[in-house]
């Protein structure tokens, strides 16, 4: 791979196709993405103008300004370890489906099946969460800007807005990866430029300016002990089972700021999801062994820097300092960031500009999430890993996109938000499911490497290599995944823990009754058959031209 710079684009694509053939797959998708586009799709899904914005009040309420000053860089460090561990695997196995295929090569078809289901369900939940939250934000922003009267508390109204938002996202994904890639590229500059505009306007024209020392102050506005005794699932409220464990109530009561700060870390952790997208579009990426790996890693690295600048600036402009935090997180003023923005400017045009920037960023985030989600489902269906695989794995012969995978996954994402009881589960469980999927192949790679058995990454098999630092970084990554899985499973996030348990039971039953009888993981296809598939698709494409 060292001489890639001297090769022509066609020669590099031929090398990518050979690499894909070695993994057992034909080149069915158009290979149109460059390195920047690959990075852009993951950066767009992380979307600091989505997660960090929507959850700003969440962390602030638990611990005050310190959750942004210390919490964001702390989470960013551990997520970078996870991203680096995944990037090395993406370099070794550059194929759509990413994590699922890695788990198969490293641990066999059972590990692959479990990884795929966690990843697949996590992605559809996170897409549902992104676009439903975007619907609420965009409707709320329109109410402020245009004086409309959308009821953002009405689930069915917001589902309709969500569908309107998703229709162009679906169409763009169907009609070609080239347009999707261009919009992902645009999304990077929109996010970075949007944050720059927000920061400059606040610094120059913002009315409220807190002292620098304000960043290091703490205030527990939302007391964990007050919300830990029950969890809500839509219209239903359940008593916490975990809080009945002897000693738990006293532990929560005595923990104070330490517990509040730890729970507040979820603000940053929720934001850092979806960067496996760079691996899922590997078959559409030129020089995939390097570009997919850099896409995974750099999307987190750049988001951590730009996101930190944004969060610190917003915190320095909270109206009325510590006394104003209660107003910022008040549900009547939601979203919290818009409250800060509209309070800071006498010239309403500045507030409206920032509101529009954030809304467009959220829409672009949803667009990229659909791309990643549909590729994961297509890849798993290609190996007959789910019901309806024959339909989901179909590629449109002219557009060369997984049309049915896109349509079916988006329809499921909408259905999951029709009932608020289900949507609350989506919000709670999506990150846990995704990070379990991230952790399984990292664990298998580390296990094989330390035991010197089976396949594992080396500088020879993975041009993007962690070399001797790999095992240490892998261990840090796995410990953090264990930590956040527990964190998402204790009050006030107990719902996520029970949801994962129910999901695991469902997967076990489905595996025993059906899947283990027919699923054997990715099945390599011989070279002549791969070339026949590619020639057939090329013939159809040329005929269409």
């Amino acid at each position: 791979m060292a001489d890639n710079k001297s090769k022509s684009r066609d020669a590099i694509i031929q090398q990518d196709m050979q690499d894909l053939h070695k993994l057992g797959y034909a080149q069915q998708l158009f290979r149109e993405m460059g390195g920047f586009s690959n990075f852009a799709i993951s950066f767009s899904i992380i979307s600091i103008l989505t997660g960090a914005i929507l959850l700003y009040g969440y962390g602030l309420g638990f611990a005050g300004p310190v959750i942004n000053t210390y919490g964001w860089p702390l989470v960013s460090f551990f997520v970078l370890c996870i991203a680096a561990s995944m990037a090395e695997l993406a370099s070794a196995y550059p194929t759509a489906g990413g994590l699922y295929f890695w788990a198969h090569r490293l641990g066999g078809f059972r590990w692959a099946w479990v990884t795929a289901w966690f990843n697949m369900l996590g992605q559809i939940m996170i897409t549902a969460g992104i676009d439903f939250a975007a619907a609420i934000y965009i409707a709320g922003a329109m109410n402020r800007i245009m004086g409309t009267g959308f009821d953002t508390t009405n689930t069915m109204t917001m589902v309709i807005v969500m569908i309107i938002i998703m229709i162009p996202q679906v169409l763009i994904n169907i009609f070609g990866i080239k347009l999707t890639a261009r919009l992902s590229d645009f999304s990077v500059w929109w996010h970075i430029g949007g944050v720059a505009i927000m920061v400059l306007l606040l610094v120059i024209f913002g009315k409220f300016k807190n002292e620098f020392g304000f960043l290091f102050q703490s205030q527990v506005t939302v007391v964990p002990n007050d919300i830990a005794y029950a969890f809500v699932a839509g219209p239903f409220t359940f008593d916490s089972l975990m809080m009945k464990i002897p000693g738990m109530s006293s532990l929560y009561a005595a923990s104070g700021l330490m517990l509040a700060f730890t729970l507040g870390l979820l603000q940053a952790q929720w934001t850092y999801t979806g960067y496996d997208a760079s691996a899922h579009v590997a078959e559409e990426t030129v020089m995939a062994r390097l570009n997919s790996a850099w896409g995974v890693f750099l999307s987190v690295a750049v988001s951590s820097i730009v996101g930190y600048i944004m969060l610190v600036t917003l915190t320095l402009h909270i109206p009325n300092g510590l006394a104003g935090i209660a107003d910022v997180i008040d549900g009547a003023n939601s979203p919290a960031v818009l409250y800060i923005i509209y309070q800071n400017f006498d010239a309403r045009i500045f507030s409206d500009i920032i509101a529009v920037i954030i809304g467009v960023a959220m829409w672009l985030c949803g667009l990229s999430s659909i791309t990643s989600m549909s590729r994961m489902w297509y890849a798993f269906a290609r190996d007959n890993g789910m019901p309806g695989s024959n339909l989901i794995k179909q590629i449109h012969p002219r557009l060369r996109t997984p049309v049915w995978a896109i349509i079916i996954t988006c329809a499921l994402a909408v259905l999951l938000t029709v009932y608020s009881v289900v949507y609350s589960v989506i919000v709670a469980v999506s990150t846990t499911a995704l990070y379990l999927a991230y952790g399984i192949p990292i664990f298998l790679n580390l296990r094989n490497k330390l035991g010197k058995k089976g396949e594992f990454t080396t500088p020879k098999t993975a041009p993007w290599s962690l070399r001797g630092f790999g095992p240490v970084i892998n261990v840090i990554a796995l410990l953090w995944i264990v930590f956040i899985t527990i964190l998402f499973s204790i009050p006030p996030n107990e719902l996520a823990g029970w949801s994962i348990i129910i999901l695991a039971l469902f997967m076990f039953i489905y595996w025993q009754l059906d899947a283990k009888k027919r699923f054997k993981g990715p099945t390599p296809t011989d070279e002549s058959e791969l070339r026949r598939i590619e020639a057939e698709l090329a013939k159809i494409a040329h005929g269409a031209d």
Side-chain angles (χ1 to χ4, degrees), residues 49 188-200 354 357-358:
L49 287 173
V188 173
W189 302 116
W190 185 269
H191 276 78
I192 294 175
V195 169
I197 291 170
M198 183 191 303
V199 168
L200 287 173
I354 294 173
I357 287 172
I358 294 171

Side-chain angles (χ1 to χ4, degrees), residues 127 130-131 134 162 164-174 180 362-368 370-371 406 410:
T127 300
I130 288 168
D131 272 330
M162 176 185 176
I164 294 170
I165 287 171
M166 290 184 73
I167 288 173
Q169 292 173 341
V170 170
L171 293 175
I172 289 169
N173 269 281
I174 286 175
T180 306
M362 289 181 182
W363 184 87
L364 290 168
C365 175
L367 173 75
S368 296
I370 289 172
T371 306
I406 294 167
C410 288

Side-chain angles (χ1 to χ4, degrees), residues 28-42:
Q28 293 180 276
L29 303 169
F30 278 134
R31 204 173 278 274
E32 295 282 356
M33 283 188 167
F36 185 82
S37 295
N38 183 282
F39 150 78
I41 193 167
S42 286

Side-chain angles (χ1 to χ4, degrees), residues 76 101 191 218 240 243 315 381 391 470 541:
S76 297
F101 187 87
H191 276 78
S218 60
S240 168
M243 294 306 294
T315 303
L391 181 63

Side-chain angles (χ1 to χ4, degrees), residues 512-528:
Q512 293 296 331
L513 295 180
D514 179 55
K516 74 175 184 180
K517 300 174 185 176
R518 57 183 177 79
F519 178 73
K520 300 302 176 186
T523 304
T525 306
D526 63 74
E527 184 70 20
S528 60

Side-chain angles (χ1 to χ4, degrees), residues 421-475:
V421 60
V422 178
Y423 179 70
S424 65
V425 175
I426 295 168
V427 173
V429 80
S430 55
T431 303
T432 306
L434 283 176
Y435 271 90
L436 287 172
Y438 296 173
I440 290 172
I442 295 173
F443 161 73
L444 294 172
N445 187 41
L446 177 65
R447 180 198 68 174
N448 294 357
K449 189 176 293 186
L450 295 179
K452 302 297 181 184
K453 294 180 181 179
E455 291 189 29
F456 51 86
T457 55
T458 66
K460 184 177 180 180
T461 60
W464 198 101
S465 175
L466 296 174
R467 300 186 180 274
F469 297 102
V472 174
I473 294 173
N474 295 163
V475 168

Side-chain angles (χ1 to χ4, degrees), residues 80 139 154 169 204 270 367 416 499 502 514 545:
L80 275 170
N154 185 294
Q169 292 173 341
I204 297 171
W270 262 324
L367 173 75
L416 283 172
S499 299
I502 292 169
D514 179 55
D545 292 339

